[in-house]
Amino acid sequence: MSRALQPHLGEIVESIIEAIQRDVPAYSRPLEGDFGVAVRQGVEVALSRLLLELPGRDEPALPPEARLVYAGLGKGEARTGRPLEALLGAYRVGARMAFRAVSRISVQEGLDPTLLMPLGESIFVYIDELSSASIEAFTAEQFRQAGERDRRRAALLEQLVSGRAEEADLRALAADAGWVIPREVVVAAMPLEKADGLRLALGERGLARSRSEYAVVLVAAPRSERARAELERVLAGRRAWIGPVRPWLRAAGSLRAAHAAMTMPDPASVQAAEGDGPWWVRDHLSTLVLGHEPELLNDLAAQRLAPLDQLRPNQRARLAETLLSWLSHQGERAKVAAELHIHPQTVGYRVGQLREIFGDALDDPLTRFELEMVLRAGHS
């Protein structure tokens, strides 16, 4: 059979290529360049192996050198972004056309028809083998591309939050990483142990990277309640702090705020009220500002509240509470009384005590501001 089929090999190759172009839409264009060479080589190798070499039962259907051809085709499909179904469809079309052509030529040459049965079986076995080679290579290339893309995106994120890279360099990195730069961004920070599965949960909506001590996420600034809710869903339970909205070139500022919030000495009041987050920095600005330099705030509290040191603990707490309410309501006695659930005359009595203790300092705008600040921070 091999001798009878060999003169027709070129004819069969062309008929298979024409059928692939006709029946597989992804390959309907002219098969030119490297892609055309690879397809033609794949058809020729398959026909040569099946029709001329006729492997025995104990021989592999796809020897190593032939396997490389079909692995290359699978890898090429992954690199072009086409789904593998097109290539597998081409294999099936090729097998069908090869069997038809061989059947026709066998009749023309007067060959024994019973020889076609083992040939048909060999074709199906061969198609399974070369499909397997292409699938393995296609999958491996996809994993490689995904890993490379993740590395490029991680590098882009690091440069974005560094605050040191030039705009042109950042745009080039974004293009290499296949990421569209948004006009404004937010950056979130969270403990490393809470970042498991973060990239998968985030999908294509942003960038994620684990640093030595914490994980970072950068996404386009949410422009709707739905977008905000979706981001909160992704970060739910991760103890993440989401920094303020910033232009993309100032992403470093959003990260600084998020990291400062995450590393606050005592964020317990926020966390106790809101569980495992996420928390938005913009919703806790005063708490974060007051907690940013705790040692200096302690010094300020000791200085401004020193006049209360002479009082008994219960009296000190009562007058500190009154002072904060009085400062907050700008001296409006009725509002202070309503907040503290005491009589307005009691308010007047306590304010009189405070004026005796603090003297003219209560008339100084800076002192009043600093007193309110340390009292709001929990000092008394």
Side-chain angles (χ1 to χ4, degrees):
M1 179 180 282
S2 298
R3 286 192 297 272
L5 293 176
Q6 189 166 11
H8 301 279
L9 188 61
E11 170 193 340
I12 299 173
V13 168
E14 294 304 323
S15 67
I16 290 175
I17 290 178
E18 289 177 7
I20 289 174
Q21 290 180 292
R22 181 184 66 247
D23 297 340
V24 183
Y27 299 152
S28 60
R29 69 187 189 281
L31 299 181
E32 300 174 344
D34 292 341
F35 175 74
V37 170
V39 171
R40 185 173 294 276
Q41 182 186 21
V43 173
E44 290 174 350
V45 168
L47 290 178
S48 175
R49 177 69 175 164
L50 284 169
L51 305 184
L52 303 184
E53 298 176 20
L54 296 176
R57 289 184 176 273
D58 297 330
E59 296 181 63
L62 198 63
E65 62 274 13
R67 191 174 187 85
L68 289 176
V69 173
Y70 301 106
L73 286 170
K75 183 184 296 185
E77 293 299 275
R79 288 177 174 176
T80 59
R82 277 192 299 266
L84 192 58
E85 285 74 11
L87 181 60
L88 300 182
Y91 290 161
R92 291 191 292 270
V93 169
R96 184 173 68 248
M97 293 302 299
F99 191 74
R100 286 179 182 175
V102 171
S103 299
R104 176 177 51 80
I105 293 169
S106 296
V107 171
Q108 291 174 355
E109 298 290 336
L111 300 177
D112 184 355
T114 61
L115 296 175
L116 294 176
M117 293 182 62
L119 176 62
E121 293 178 0
S122 297
I123 287 177
F124 288 116
V125 171
Y126 197 77
I127 290 299
D128 285 343
E129 287 292 322
L130 59 89
S131 295
S132 175
S134 294
I135 291 171
E136 290 178 10
F138 181 88
T139 304
E141 178 63 16
Q142 281 193 320
F143 275 116
R144 188 198 67 78
Q145 289 178 358
E148 181 63 26
R149 187 194 65 171
D150 285 345
R151 286 190 290 274
R152 290 178 179 178
R153 291 193 168 195
L156 170 62
L157 173 56
E158 196 63 33
Q159 290 300 311
L160 280 168
V161 299
S162 73
R164 298 186 297 271
E166 297 293 334
E167 179 176 351
D169 295 335
L170 290 173
R171 289 191 180 278
L173 284 173
D176 288 342
W179 194 69
V180 179
I181 298 175
R183 188 170 63 88
E184 293 181 320
V185 300
V186 293
V187 183
M190 70 204 71
L192 279 176
E193 65 271 16
K194 294 292 184 178
D196 289 346
L198 181 59
R199 284 193 180 91
L200 182 61
L202 192 64
E204 295 296 316
R205 65 173 58 87
L207 309 174
R209 174 178 172 80
S210 293
R211 288 181 150 192
S212 58
E213 297 179 354
Y214 61 98
V216 180
V217 167
L218 183 148
V219 298
R223 295 186 173 275
S224 66
E225 285 302 317
R226 181 178 179 180
R228 174 173 168 142
E230 178 61 20
L231 179 58
E232 290 176 349
R233 184 192 65 77
V234 171
L235 299 180
R238 296 184 183 275
R239 304 182 70 80
W241 279 93
I242 305 172
V245 174
R246 292 288 185 266
W248 70 274
L249 282 171
R250 293 172 51 203
S254 186
L255 175 59
R256 281 195 299 271
H259 184 256
M262 188 184 74
T263 55
M264 271 195 308
D266 185 21
S269 60
V270 173
Q271 296 173 1
E274 301 184 25
D276 269 350
W279 307 291
W280 294 79
V281 166
R282 70 182 186 187
D283 295 335
H284 303 280
L285 289 175
S286 60
T287 301
L288 297 174
V289 169
L290 293 177
H292 188 59
E293 292 291 348
E295 290 189 14
L296 294 180
L297 191 62
N298 290 340
D299 293 341
L300 181 61
Q303 177 183 329
R304 287 304 179 201
L305 299 178
L308 298 178
D309 290 346
Q310 57 185 307
L311 304 178
R312 298 187 305 275
N314 289 343
Q315 184 183 16
R316 179 187 178 109
R318 186 167 59 248
L319 287 181
E321 179 186 45
T322 303
L323 178 58
L324 176 57
S325 182
W326 182 75
L327 291 169
S328 300
H329 295 297
Q330 299 180 348
E332 294 190 35
R333 186 179 300 187
K335 292 182 178 180
V336 175
E339 181 178 65
L340 300 182
H341 305 291
I342 59 178
H343 195 279
Q345 288 184 346
T346 304
V347 175
Y349 173 72
R350 292 184 185 178
V351 172
Q353 288 182 296
L354 289 168
R355 286 200 173 277
E356 288 182 7
I357 293 171
F358 284 94
D360 294 339
L362 289 184
D363 295 322
D364 177 56
L366 178 59
T367 300
R368 290 161 68 107
F369 169 75
E370 291 177 345
L371 279 169
E372 184 174 0
M373 183 167 61
V374 297
L375 289 168
R376 285 189 178 279
H379 294 275
S380 60

